[in-house]
Every structure is written in structure tokens, then in C-alpha cells.
Amino acid sequence: MWRDALLVAGKDLRIELRSRVVLNQVGPFGVLVLVLFAFALGPAPAPMLQAAPGLFWVAVLFAGLLAVQRSFALESGDRGDGLRLAGLDPAGIFLGKAAAVVAELAVLEVLLGAGVVLFYGARLHSVGVVAAACLAGTLGVAATGILYGALSSGLRVRETLLPFLLLPAVAPILLAGTRAWQAAMSGGQPVWPWLVTLSVFAVVYLALGVLIFGPLQEST
Amino acid sequence: MAPAVLLRAAVALTGRFPALAGADLVVAQGQVVVLEGANGAGKTSLLRVCAGLLPVTGGEAQVLGCDLRADRAGVRRRVGMLGHAAGLYDELTVAENVRFAVRAAGGDPAGIDPALDRLGLVGRLRKTPLGRLSAGQRRRVTLAVLVARRPELWLLDEPHASLDARARRLVNELVGEAATGGATVLLASHEPEEALPLADRVVTLAGGRVLGEVPGGRGRPAGRLGLAGDAHVA
């Protein structure tokens, strides 16, 4: 399983390095979300500071959606049943694809984090909390996305169906991630409940994916 | 010795359509069997069933000793399929595509370079992204994957399509070598002049069933090949 996961993650990341779709399109899209909301909130610093954590996660979720769609687009068209026919462990495929999405989103989050500081004037008291929240939240987004991506990949309406399935499912990440960021910005609020929520969410969806990605892949 | 392929009254559905409607076929290990029949006869579906891609919903189906009704994924690392879809990635180079496919199937990476050489994928071509290749060159890359993987069962769907005369001869040589090496080959083709000389048996399909078969031309003198019209009812 781990060998196959490494193989799939390496392949997806190599393709991304060549095509640069995530870097050239998904990244700018995330930054654009931040910039547009900054215009909508106006020049006053207080509402922008208050909205910054939530907007960071909204941008991550939208970008994650695009990254997941891209991950499954790689396997469509002329690729046919290539991954299934290769005999790879389905759990390995799931973990590998999730790992590649995590790596892509991690780069994006650095960019978005810089954007939040730059455009919204956010000051982070605890970078460690932000990093932990981003790691757990991103694992959750990637695991959920790959799972629902597999569910919708065999359907003609997959592009429109995936957001309907994925965005409500990752609402806990939006909530807990935002609260963890707010705690890191204020420095006084309790942060552990939100980090635990993010971690439990990620572990549950990673375990679920390892267990049911195979049957999902065979049934779509 | 257990047969490489054993189908008895096998039924496989594509949606609600019975792509295989009670197919019977037994193929011994090391045989080359050509599948022929009109479009929609069930040739590709039969190959997909043998690859463990299409589920069998009725009858009996065993490939390389694996019961496809119980575990159809278990057979995939042991079969190699050349289908309509290449199963390759446009962004990866020729060598990277073959390396990924071989490693994914748990094959020996030592076989990669000789396979690329054999298919004429040499020099700068190896470092060329697949998306820049012609249809014939892409077909050769898919064949290189098969040669490098050395599967026990080769499933070839129109293997001569998109290939020039030299590459077609090479395909014929590879099929012969695979069978001589102990592999079993199932080959679906609309080109009897290319396929019949390779075959031990020529099996005719229609409506998702095996109608009959005639001996093929493998190991027989040219001019004494079986014709589809001579098929006897199985």
C-alpha cells in the first residue's frame, strides 16, 4: 500500500510540475478570492482582520476542489482504466492521490498565508498553531476530496456534482480551521479543541478512504 | 495444467446491456487465440472481463486460476492489456510512462530498457513527452509496457491499429515470442490477414456468445489458414 502510494503521489506531482496547472491556475485563483473579498470588505481594517481566517479557509477549500478535480482529470480520457489495470492497491492509490493534493495545497497555503498578512494585515501570535491547523485541515480536505472525487468520477455530471458533495462535507474544516486561526491571531483563546477536531476529521476520512476507495473505484 | 482462461456461460453487463450473454471459452496456457466478429460482438468485453475490469454477473469465469466472480482485482497484475485507451500520461516522457507502469505492476525494472529498444523507442524519443508522439508511436509505447511487464496473459484489442508495416511485423513477432515463452495471448482483430497466421485458434463471437472456432495458422504452412466462414458450432 505505501509503495503504491509513493508511486502514485510521485507520478501526480511529476505531472503537476510539468503541466503547472495548480501553480499557474489554482494558485492565482486562491489569491484572487482573497483580493476580491478584500475589495468587498472595504478599507476598514477591523472587518478585514475578523474575516481573514475564514477567507483563508474558503480559498483553501475552493482551491482544494480544483486540485481534486485536476487529480481525477489526470486519469480520465485516454488513460481509461490505466490505474485499475496496473494492479495498484486501491488504498495506495487513495493515499498517493491525497498526498499529492496535500503537497499542492501546502504550497498554495504558504501563498495564501502571505496574502492574508499582506492584504488583511493579520498578525499571527503562534505560527506553530497555524501550521498544525493547516496540516490537519489540509489532510482532511485532501482525503475527503479524493473520496468524493472517486464517488463522482464515473458520472457525466462529475464537475458539477463534486462541489455539491464536497463543500458541505468539509464544513467542519472551515469551522475548526477558522477558529484555530482566530486563536492563533488573538493569542488568548483555547486552540486545542479545534486542532483535535481537525485531526479527528482527517483521521476519520483517511481511514474511510483506505477502506472504501477500492469498492468505490470498482463501482464507478 | 489449469487453463489460462475458463469461461462457462459467462454473463457480463455494460449498464443493462449484456456485453457477454453466456460466453463459453477455454484457452490453454501458451495458446494464441484470435477473437473475431462484427462490431458489438463482444470481443472487447471478453478481453475486459479477462482483465478483471468488467464484472461477471453470471456463469463461471476463471483467469490464471483466479475466480473473477470472487476477486477480479487479483488477476490484474498478471495480465497486460493493449486496449483502445493507451492508459498512459501525456505529460510524462516515454521512459517515465513505461517505468511507472512496470513499477505499478510490480515488474522487474531491468526489463524496461530492453523493451524500449525492442520497440524502437531509442535516443531522444525516450525523453519525449507522450503528448508529442503520433498515434503509432503511442501504440508502440503501450506495447513496450507489455514487453517490459511480461504478463502471463496478453489481451490485445486491435493491436495492429495505427501501426505501419514494420511495426505490424514487430507486433506479430512479439505475440509469437510471448506464446513461445509460455504466455497466453487473446487477440481481438478485424484484420484476419494479420491475425490468423498468429493464432492457434480463431474464435468467432456474435451477440456476446462464442459461435464457433476454427484452427489458426500458427505453425502451419501459409495458404492453409482457417476462415471465419468455416467456423463450426462449439
Side-chain angles (χ1 to χ4, degrees):
Chain A
M1 178 178 80
W2 298 110
R3 187 196 73 96
D4 289 352
L6 275 176
L7 197 60
V8 171
K11 183 262 297 175
D12 278 10
L13 289 173
R14 192 184 293 267
I15 290 174
E16 171 50 29
L17 282 173
R18 299 266 162 79
S19 63
R20 297 188 179 178
V21 169
V22 173
L23 196 68
N24 291 345
Q25 292 174 26
V26 180
F29 169 77
V31 174
L32 202 61
V33 170
L34 287 185
V35 173
L36 286 176
F37 271 105
F39 282 130
L41 290 168
M48 287 176 73
L49 264 178
Q50 202 173 5
L55 290 177
F56 171 87
W57 282 105
V58 166
V60 168
L61 295 187
F62 284 155
L65 183 64
L66 295 180
V68 167
Q69 282 179 329
R70 167 73 181 156
S71 180
F72 282 93
L74 292 180
E75 312 301 342
S76 63
D78 198 34
R79 261 72 68 183
D81 294 299
L83 272 189
R84 276 205 302 160
L85 197 56
L88 289 160
D89 184 340
I93 298 175
F94 168 77
L95 289 174
K97 287 210 157 283
V101 170
V102 166
E104 291 162 10
L105 287 181
V107 174
L108 183 76
E109 283 167 8
V110 172
L111 204 66
L112 291 175
V116 164
V117 171
L118 196 70
F119 298 129
Y120 292 77
R123 293 282 175 270
L124 302 174
H125 292 284
S126 173
V127 177
V129 167
V130 168
C134 284
L135 178 66
T138 307
L139 277 170
V141 171
T144 318
I146 296 300
L147 201 55
Y148 283 107
L151 189 68
S152 61
S153 65
L155 305 172
R156 278 181 300 165
V157 292
R158 56 183 172 270
E159 286 87 1
T160 45
L161 182 64
L162 183 60
F164 277 114
L165 294 175
L166 181 59
L167 292 177
V170 293
I173 295 179
L174 180 65
L175 176 71
T178 301
R179 293 286 185 269
W181 263 71
Q182 284 171 341
M185 284 168 65
S186 67
Q189 297 173 23
V191 71
W192 288 109
W194 305 115
L195 288 182
V196 168
T197 303
L198 288 169
S199 303
V200 168
F201 187 94
V203 168
V204 165
Y205 267 96
L206 282 169
L208 205 59
V210 166
L211 289 174
I212 69 168
F213 188 81
L216 271 182
Q217 197 185 22
E218 295 298 334
S219 64
T220 52
Chain B
M1 191 187 293
V5 176
L6 172 71
L7 302 179
R8 289 207 196 284
V11 176
L13 302 176
T14 307
R16 290 182 181 176
F17 177 77
L20 287 189
D24 293 293
L25 181 68
V26 179
V27 180
Q29 288 183 21
Q31 276 195 333
V32 179
V33 174
V34 167
L35 307 173
E36 61 110 41
N39 290 331
K43 302 185 296 295
T44 300
S45 298
L46 195 146
L47 295 180
R48 287 174 58 79
V49 161
C50 292
L53 293 174
L54 193 60
V56 176
T57 53
E60 188 183 348
Q62 289 183 22
V63 170
L64 302 171
C66 296
D67 183 353
L68 296 184
R69 294 197 70 181
D71 177 23
R72 62 193 165 101
V75 81
R76 289 181 192 150
R77 283 198 173 182
R78 299 170 66 192
V79 306
M81 185 165 179
L82 176 78
H84 296 297
L88 303 169
Y89 298 92
D90 283 356
E91 297 84 354
L92 299 183
T93 66
V94 168
E96 286 168 346
N97 264 298
V98 177
R99 198 178 304 125
F100 174 75
V102 170
R103 290 182 66 197
D108 182 4
I112 295 172
D113 283 340
L116 290 168
D117 289 341
R118 187 72 208 279
L119 270 297
L121 299 164
V122 294
R124 288 172 61 188
L125 207 51
R126 285 190 190 187
K127 294 177 183 172
T128 305
L130 197 84
R132 291 189 199 157
L133 301 186
S134 69
Q137 286 173 319
R138 294 165 74 95
R139 200 74 169 161
R140 280 199 277 153
V141 179
T142 318
L143 281 163
V145 170
L146 274 183
V147 174
R149 278 185 56 188
R150 295 180 191 158
E152 295 168 60
L153 175 62
W154 291 43
L155 303 167
L156 309 177
D157 198 357
E158 302 292 349
H160 300 101
S162 307
L163 296 177
D164 57 25
R166 194 173 153 203
R168 283 167 174 245
R169 280 197 300 277
L170 181 57
V171 168
N172 296 349
E173 286 174 23
L174 292 173
V175 168
E177 286 169 18
T180 306
T184 310
V185 182
L186 277 185
L187 190 158
S189 179
H190 283 296
E191 299 180 74
E193 70 281 4
E194 290 284 356
L196 260 58
L198 305 172
D200 292 307
R201 297 155 58 198
V202 180
V203 171
T204 306
L205 284 96
R209 289 170 180 238
V210 174
L211 281 191
E213 68 174 73
V214 294
R218 187 172 171 224
R220 297 168 66 193
R224 293 182 55 80
L225 305 182
L227 298 170
D230 298 336
H232 60 77
V233 175

